């Protein structure tokens, strides 16, 4: 959950275990209310990086208790949500398009890669960039802006050298100027598997060594010492690890 400084109007960056995450935040005194209130009132929308269950199961399961808001994603992600999840074949259709009856709790916003989109009721904006997540499958990086400050969140991604891709290199080229100007306030990036995992069994994920290589590439583009000012939060560590 991400908000502008001083605000309690949050966007959810993926939503795989949303109720457990809210409960943990309450235990850590981030909120003084209950989980239902946070879900309904504080979360103003969802940025979904890709339509794998570990990134949206919490959104789907908690949807009956949720309030009207927007789900943002690149078209490939929204299409799967409409066809496979918010479909009466698997769950009630809480979306605003697709299989009838359409309940219209959630509005789908199909984003255009590289173009900034306003995040309703948060004062923030987001730009989406496609990532390679075990070709031919894709994921998304979200660059979120509040005023002149940015945070970069990456969904699942493989390393360029393993994916035979340039997606991370292109992303680093986009954010390096923000690092040089001290506008990038943090990076959320995954490391799913240990270094012992064979490259052919990574399925579009990073290891600690591959993560460090990618960050070293970003550091080289950003200029000597500039990456030291940017906190890096490692996400998506497999539960068994």
């Amino acid at each position: 959950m991400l908000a502008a400084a001083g605000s309690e109007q949050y966007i959810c960056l993926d939503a795989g275990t949303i109720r457990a995450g809210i409960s943990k935040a309450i235990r850590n005194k981030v909120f003084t209310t209950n989980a239902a209130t946070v879900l309904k009132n504080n979360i103003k929308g969802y940025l979904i990086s890709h339509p794998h269950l570990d990134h949206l199961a919490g959104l789907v399961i908690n949807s009956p208790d949720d309030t009207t808001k927007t789900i943002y994603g690149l078209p490939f992600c929204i299409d799967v949500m409409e066809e496979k999840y918010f479909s009466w074949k698997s769950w009630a259709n809480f979306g605003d398009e697709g299989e009838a009856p359409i309940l219209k709790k959630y509005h789908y916003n199909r984003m255009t890669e590289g173009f900034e989109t306003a995040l309703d009721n948060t004062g923030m904006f987001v730009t989406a960039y496609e990532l390679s997540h075990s070709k031919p499958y894709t994921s998304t990086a979200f660059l979120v802006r509040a005023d002149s400050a940015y945070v970069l969140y990456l969904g699942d991604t493989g390393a360029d050298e393993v994916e035979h891709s340039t997606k991370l290199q292109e992303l680093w080229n986009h954010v390096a100027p923000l690092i040089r100007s001290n506008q990038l306030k943090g990076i959320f990036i995954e490391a799913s598997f240990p270094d012992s995992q064979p490259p052919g069994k990574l399925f579009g994920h990073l290891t600690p060594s591959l993560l460090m290589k990618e960050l070293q590439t970003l550091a080289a583009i950003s200029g000597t010492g500039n990456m030291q000012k940017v906190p890096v939060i490692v996400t998506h560590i497999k539960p068994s690890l």
Side-chain angles (χ1 to χ4, degrees):
M1 293 172 60
L2 182 68
S7 170
E8 292 191 348
Q9 312 306 307
Y10 290 84
I11 194 76
C12 219
L13 295 158
D14 281 329
T17 54
I18 183 170
R19 179 77 67 154
I22 294 171
S23 297
K24 187 171 185 178
I26 291 171
R27 291 196 301 272
N28 289 337
K29 312 300 183 185
V30 177
F31 301 104
T32 57
T33 185
N34 57 57
T37 298
V38 174
L39 174 69
K40 293 177 179 180
N41 297 338
N42 294 101
I43 295 176
K44 299 301 182 181
Y46 302 93
L47 291 170
I48 304 298
S49 64
H50 64 294
H52 285 170
L53 279 171
D54 57 329
H55 291 259
L56 54 77
L59 168 57
V60 173
I61 293 297
N62 287 282
S63 55
D65 297 326
D66 207 352
T67 49
T68 301
K69 54 196 64 165
T70 299
I71 299 173
Y72 305 85
L74 289 175
F76 78 88
C77 180
I78 299 297
D79 288 347
V80 173
M81 293 189 69
E82 177 204 326
E83 295 167 8
K84 304 298 184 184
Y85 298 119
F86 287 129
S87 159
W88 290 99
K89 298 181 186 71
S90 57
W91 197 253
N93 183 8
F94 286 107
D96 60 353
E97 56 187 82
E99 189 177 12
I102 300 171
L103 302 181
K104 298 184 179 181
K105 177 173 284 189
Y106 296 121
H107 168 62
Y108 294 129
N109 186 318
R110 288 175 170 80
M111 301 173 65
T112 300
E113 183 180 15
F115 287 85
E116 192 173 71
T117 298
L119 295 169
D120 295 340
N121 304 309
T122 69
M124 297 185 291
F125 301 82
V126 64
T127 306
Y129 299 96
E130 191 174 276
L131 299 171
S132 184
H133 183 28
S134 190
K135 281 187 172 181
Y137 303 108
T138 53
S139 180
T140 312
F142 294 113
L143 183 63
V144 182
R145 177 177 68 85
D147 296 325
S148 61
Y150 294 79
V151 165
L152 178 65
Y153 170 87
L154 289 82
D156 294 358
T157 182
D160 280 353
E161 66 180 86
V162 177
E163 295 286 302
H164 306 292
S165 168
T166 60
K167 294 295 187 183
L168 284 176
Q169 179 72 51
E170 294 166 12
L171 179 63
W172 301 152
N173 288 337
H174 284 297
V175 301
L178 301 176
I179 295 174
R180 288 193 290 270
S181 62
N182 200 32
Q183 290 175 274
L184 188 66
K185 304 304 179 181
I187 297 173
F188 294 85
I189 186 169
E190 69 131 285
S192 296
F193 290 109
D195 289 333
S196 59
Q197 189 84 352
K201 298 291 185 180
L202 290 175
F203 307 111
H205 292 292
L206 295 172
T207 65
S209 292
L210 291 171
L211 169 60
M212 290 309 298
K213 283 185 180 180
E214 290 293 347
L215 291 178
Q216 288 162 1
T217 299
L218 176 57
I221 301 171
S222 303
T224 304
N226 286 324
M227 271 295 291
Q228 294 178 9
K229 300 177 289 185
V230 183
V232 176
I233 297 93
V234 180
T235 68
H236 209 271
I237 300 169
K238 294 293 185 179
S240 61
L241 305 179

